[in-house]
Amino acid sequence: MIYHCIRFTAKPGVTEADRQAALESMRAAARAIPAIKSHVVGSDFGGDYEYGSISVMEDLEGYAEMMNHPAHLEVDRKGLPLVDRFASFDITDDPDPEIGVKIAAIHRRRYATVPDIAALVADLPEYTGSATPPADAD
């Protein structure tokens, strides 16, 4: 199983209505993506972020499907411009010692084939984590 986790804080000035609409769009996208077996989207407690999300996929194929699904791309296009701080990480019980390299390759292919998403991620004021685009993505 692969658990794709994100944590984020909205930019100053983003209204509560826009925040809630963005969170609901994330929930709707997760329900629309067959590869996502389980998910949660909501408030993040105990850290430096306002919100978080965890999506669970069975394997790398499901992870790639989730990252490239039109519903996920649409959430990124609408939601990333609202984000001030963002962090992502992946947790897996897959014993493959190359799993991290393979996850990074999924992100590199995504940024190469969907350059507007790469630009949105690269334009985030603060971003760390498993899906950070390469420096030449912008």
Side-chain angles (χ1 to χ4, degrees):
M1 302 299 278
I2 301 172
Y3 293 73
H4 179 65
C5 312
I6 64 169
R7 302 173 84 189
F8 57 97
T9 297
K11 288 180 178 175
V14 175
T15 68
E16 184 61 24
D18 286 344
R19 291 166 187 252
Q20 293 308 312
L23 295 173
E24 185 50 42
S25 72
M26 292 174 68
R27 292 179 191 108
R31 290 188 297 267
I33 301 171
I36 296 178
K37 302 305 176 190
S38 177
H39 72 276
V40 62
V41 175
S43 297
D44 185 329
F45 297 100
D48 295 328
Y49 297 91
E50 294 176 303
Y51 307 103
S53 174
I54 301 172
S55 298
V56 182
M57 285 71 53
E58 290 182 2
D59 52 28
L60 280 170
E61 292 77 19
Y63 189 93
E65 177 187 331
M66 180 270 302
M67 291 306 301
N68 294 292
H69 193 282
H72 185 242
L73 297 175
E74 186 65 18
V75 165
D76 281 352
R77 288 182 178 114
K78 289 182 177 177
L80 287 172
L82 306 177
V83 172
D84 187 43
R85 299 178 57 240
F86 190 96
S88 67
F89 58 98
D90 299 295
I91 301 171
T92 183
D93 58 0
D94 189 313
D96 181 353
E98 297 296 315
I99 191 80
V101 171
K102 292 174 183 177
I103 287 171
I106 289 168
H107 289 284
R108 279 194 310 278
R109 284 191 302 272
R110 178 178 188 241
Y111 294 136
T113 59
V114 193
D116 67 307
I117 299 296
L120 288 170
V121 172
D123 285 345
L124 288 169
E126 179 183 321
Y127 182 30
T128 59
S130 61
T132 305
D136 62 354
D138 51 337

